Amino acid sequence: MRVGYIQTSPVFGEKEKNFENIDKIISKNKADILVLPELFATGYTFSSKNEVNSLSENLEGKTAKFLINLAKKTKGLIIGGYVEKSKNKLYNSAMIVSQKGILGNYRKLHLYYKEKLWFSPGDLPLQVYKFKEINIGVMICFDWFFPETTRTLALLGADIIAHPANLVLPYCQNAMVTRCLENKVYAVTSNRVGSEKRGEDNFQFTGKSQITSYNGDILSSAPIEEPFIDLVDIELENVRDKSINAYNHIFKDRQIQFYF
Amino acid sequence: MRVGYIQTSPVFGEKEKNFENIDKIISKNKADILVLPELFATGYTFSSKNEVNSLSENLEGKTAKFLINLAKKTKGLIIGGYVEKSKNKLYNSAMIVSQKGILGNYRKLHLYYKEKLWFSPGDLPLQVYKFKEINIGVMICFDWFFPETTRTLALLGADIIAHPANLVLPYCQNAMVTRCLENKVYAVTSNRVGSEKRGEDNFQFTGKSQITSYNGDILSSAPIEEPFIDLVDIELENVRDKSINAYNHIFKDRQIQFYF
């Protein structure tokens, strides 16, 4: 299985330009799973709900069409973030698409900072998607902070966590090592680079997109400031058996009667 | 508040010698909380249940007496691991003592490797102990691997996690950064050094006892191979408010309806 990410530097509000920039990076790469950043087509630092609304789409919009076309090139699954509008609510979402169309939609559960002014928190259960033989869990950016997110996805059977992000804090890349170890899963964190100064907010995104192995190894780490693409080969059988030695099985060993 | 650890190199089966070695290290240190390693008086690498039984104690044994005397010197709380025997069961436990006597007892929930042959898993709820103004949660070694342990202790109100350990894997010290960040708590991991070759087992303990801050900073890191003591001053008010910015509160933001 070949999995990877594109790390981009979105131009705020310029969807077509952001699509073009990804087309330039992707060229002829084949990938079973390719993860794009959170809100990769729109940028992140909104200044009003009207602005968020004007950049919103549903699963039949131009971002969906772009990603389905992209999947025709990679021949695999693409996971990428977008501003979703559904029944007059706005969500910070990620769509999961193949060349055949939309496979799923995830609405970010844990909103960070002013996202709470623009978006409704996710109202759909965490879910695992199947593509070929891979079970894929999806979470977005700040979801990493809550160990329950990755844990729930792993208990649902995820082999790999697709993790679109727009990280501004410096902690996530290192935390993903622990997230993968404690659940014996792979993870692909696709972060963005660049900065956005809008109104009183001035965000510097931290780059360093990362592919993390079930054993805590960092299989790929992107630069801090430049767009980047990387793909690595992984073995699914490594994560299907949750034993870590002859005595310990990380799910069976849970003492859930004592957990809150 | 002054908190810290003693990192020791226990001699297997030699309780008196291990007590003496700690007395030599501690001298005149005052500490509100002092954490000793898991099984600090007995060593770790048992070869039979009879052997474990022969080293077991209850809360009125010589290890309890030693720790209460130690607390008279530090004028604070001591947390240290021991082999507990209770109603014919053996537990990998830690006692929490002050100069006045026993304050609490924790039985390790998540047993590692052959500990499963010797010990029963903990059968007591996770609990937070109060000393002066500090709320102290206790977990032992491999409990770190399960994010639910620290999470439960933090939800119970722990300001600081006292974490006696005998670490043989290389992951815990780094994972404690994430454990502290995700729960906004301090942690004191007291590890041992040295090696134990007994029967087919040959463990090299990883040292690097660590005091980790609620913001992910490592406030103290011990050497890999030598006994060591360190104490640092911490501020409790930093961990009592679980807000991390004007919009996010790490407990109120939990979306428990979607967690397994």
Side-chain angles (χ1 to χ4, degrees):
Chain A
M1 292 290 167
R2 175 153 282 203
V3 305
Y5 59 83
I6 304 186
Q7 172 169 295
T8 66
S9 184
V11 182
F12 189 87
E14 304 277 348
K15 287 188 188 178
E16 297 301 337
K17 198 172 198 92
N18 294 325
F19 294 157
E20 278 168 34
N21 285 337
I22 287 171
D23 274 331
K24 278 182 209 156
I25 301 173
I26 188 75
S27 68
K28 287 170 193 156
N29 298 98
K30 299 274 181 291
D32 295 298
I33 297 178
L34 184 69
V35 186
L36 272 58
E38 178 184 16
L39 299 168
F40 74 92
T42 58
Y44 178 83
T45 315
F46 306 106
S47 56
S48 75
K49 200 151 182 171
N50 274 344
E51 187 181 61
V52 183
N53 188 54
S54 74
L55 292 163
S56 70
E57 296 185 41
N58 60 24
L59 289 169
E60 291 168 354
K62 60 173 78 167
T63 299
K65 287 189 179 68
F66 167 74
L67 290 180
I68 291 166
N69 270 323
L70 195 63
K72 285 176 185 164
K73 298 182 193 170
T74 62
K75 311 288 182 204
L77 213 63
I78 313 261
I79 295 98
Y82 74 111
V83 180
E84 181 188 6
K85 186 172 188 176
S86 174
K87 295 180 184 162
N88 273 318
K89 283 187 172 177
L90 297 163
Y91 300 95
N92 182 341
S93 296
M95 59 179 97
I96 301 98
V97 314
S98 75
Q99 55 186 321
K100 291 180 186 166
I102 308 291
L103 222 88
N105 187 46
Y106 169 69
R107 294 172 176 163
K108 187 176 185 176
L109 285 183
H110 305 92
L111 298 173
Y112 180 70
Y113 200 62
K114 290 189 185 170
E115 294 171 36
K116 290 197 178 188
L117 302 179
W118 324 131
F119 299 113
S120 298
D123 50 8
L124 302 174
L126 289 159
Q127 199 180 325
V128 163
Y129 303 94
K130 209 173 180 79
F131 178 75
K132 294 182 182 174
E133 292 307 304
I134 325 172
N135 299 309
I136 303 113
V138 179
M139 65 180 192
I140 299 178
C141 205
F142 190 54
D143 285 331
W144 77 264
F145 199 95
F146 299 82
E148 296 90 349
T149 319
T150 333
R151 182 62 116 199
T152 300
L153 291 169
L155 288 169
L156 283 166
D159 300 312
I160 182 166
I161 310 293
H163 184 207
N166 274 193
L167 296 163
V168 294
L169 300 176
Y171 310 114
C172 173
Q173 288 87 344
N174 181 53
M176 291 310 293
V177 170
T178 298
R179 293 284 173 265
C180 289
L181 273 172
E182 70 201 10
N183 292 296
K184 214 176 170 193
V185 294
Y186 291 100
V188 180
T189 300
S190 175
N191 195 13
R192 61 163 288 180
V193 293
S195 59
E196 277 180 0
K197 183 165 165 48
R198 306 193 77 236
E200 64 181 1
D201 292 316
N202 188 358
F203 286 125
Q204 180 72 44
F205 300 94
T206 63
K208 291 183 74 179
S209 293
Q210 181 170 296
I211 303 174
T212 317
S213 176
Y214 68 96
N215 63 4
D217 288 348
I218 294 174
L219 304 177
S220 167
S221 179
I224 296 173
E225 294 187 331
E226 295 105 60
F228 197 71
I229 180 169
D230 200 15
L231 297 165
V232 303
D233 292 315
I234 63 168
E235 298 290 341
L236 290 187
E237 62 188 309
N238 294 332
V239 298
R240 292 273 167 94
D241 174 6
K242 298 299 181 184
S243 302
I244 56 168
N245 59 48
Y247 298 88
N248 290 107
H249 183 284
I250 61 169
F251 285 172
K252 291 179 190 161
D253 283 350
R254 294 172 78 225
Q255 301 289 318
I256 51 175
Q257 69 276 28
F258 295 114
Y259 301 160
F260 284 8
Chain B
M1 290 290 166
R2 175 153 283 201
V3 304
Y5 58 82
I6 303 185
Q7 171 170 294
T8 66
S9 183
V11 182
F12 188 88
E14 303 277 350
K15 287 188 188 178
E16 297 300 337
K17 199 173 196 88
N18 294 324
F19 295 157
E20 276 167 36
N21 285 337
I22 289 171
D23 275 331
K24 279 183 209 156
I25 301 173
I26 188 73
S27 67
K28 290 169 191 156
N29 298 100
K30 299 276 179 291
D32 295 298
I33 298 178
L34 184 69
V35 187
L36 270 59
E38 179 184 15
L39 300 167
F40 74 92
T42 58
Y44 178 83
T45 315
F46 306 105
S47 57
S48 74
K49 201 153 180 170
N50 275 344
E51 186 180 60
V52 183
N53 188 54
S54 74
L55 292 163
S56 69
E57 297 185 41
N58 60 24
L59 289 170
E60 292 167 356
K62 58 172 82 168
T63 299
K65 288 189 179 70
F66 167 74
L67 290 180
I68 292 166
N69 271 323
L70 195 63
K72 286 177 185 165
K73 298 181 192 169
T74 63
K75 309 289 183 204
L77 214 63
I78 313 260
I79 295 97
Y82 74 112
V83 179
E84 182 188 5
K85 185 171 189 176
S86 173
K87 293 180 186 163
N88 273 317
K89 284 188 171 176
L90 297 163
Y91 302 94
N92 182 340
S93 296
M95 60 180 96
I96 300 98
V97 314
S98 74
Q99 54 185 323
K100 293 181 186 167
I102 307 291
L103 223 88
N105 187 46
Y106 169 69
R107 294 172 176 163
K108 187 175 185 178
L109 285 181
H110 306 91
L111 299 172
Y112 180 70
Y113 199 62
K114 290 189 185 171
E115 294 172 34
K116 290 195 178 189
L117 302 180
W118 323 131
F119 299 113
S120 298
D123 50 8
L124 301 173
L126 289 160
Q127 199 181 324
V128 164
Y129 304 93
K130 207 171 181 82
F131 179 76
K132 293 182 180 173
E133 292 307 304
I134 326 171
N135 299 308
I136 303 113
V138 178
M139 64 181 194
I140 299 177
C141 205
F142 191 53
D143 284 331
W144 77 263
F145 199 96
F146 299 81
E148 296 90 347
T149 320
T150 333
R151 182 62 116 199
T152 300
L153 291 170
L155 288 169
L156 283 166
D159 301 313
I160 183 164
I161 310 294
H163 183 207
N166 274 194
L167 296 162
V168 294
L169 300 176
Y171 309 115
C172 172
Q173 288 88 343
N174 181 53
M176 290 310 293
V177 170
T178 298
R179 293 283 173 266
C180 289
L181 273 172
E182 70 201 9
N183 293 297
K184 214 176 170 191
V185 293
Y186 291 99
V188 180
T189 300
S190 175
N191 195 14
R192 62 162 287 179
V193 293
S195 59
E196 277 179 2
K197 182 165 166 50
R198 305 194 79 235
E200 64 181 1
D201 292 316
N202 189 358
F203 288 126
Q204 180 71 44
F205 300 94
T206 63
K208 290 182 76 178
S209 293
Q210 181 170 297
I211 304 175
T212 317
S213 176
Y214 68 96
N215 64 4
D217 288 349
I218 294 173
L219 304 178
S220 168
S221 179
I224 297 173
E225 293 186 332
E226 295 105 60
F228 198 72
I229 180 169
D230 201 15
L231 297 164
V232 303
D233 293 314
I234 62 167
E235 298 288 341
L236 290 186
E237 62 188 309
N238 294 332
V239 297
R240 293 272 166 96
D241 174 7
K242 297 298 181 184
S243 302
I244 57 168
N245 60 47
Y247 297 88
N248 290 107
H249 183 284
I250 61 169
F251 285 173
K252 291 181 189 159
D253 284 350
R254 295 173 77 224
Q255 302 289 317
I256 51 176
Q257 70 275 29
F258 294 114
Y259 301 160
F260 283 9

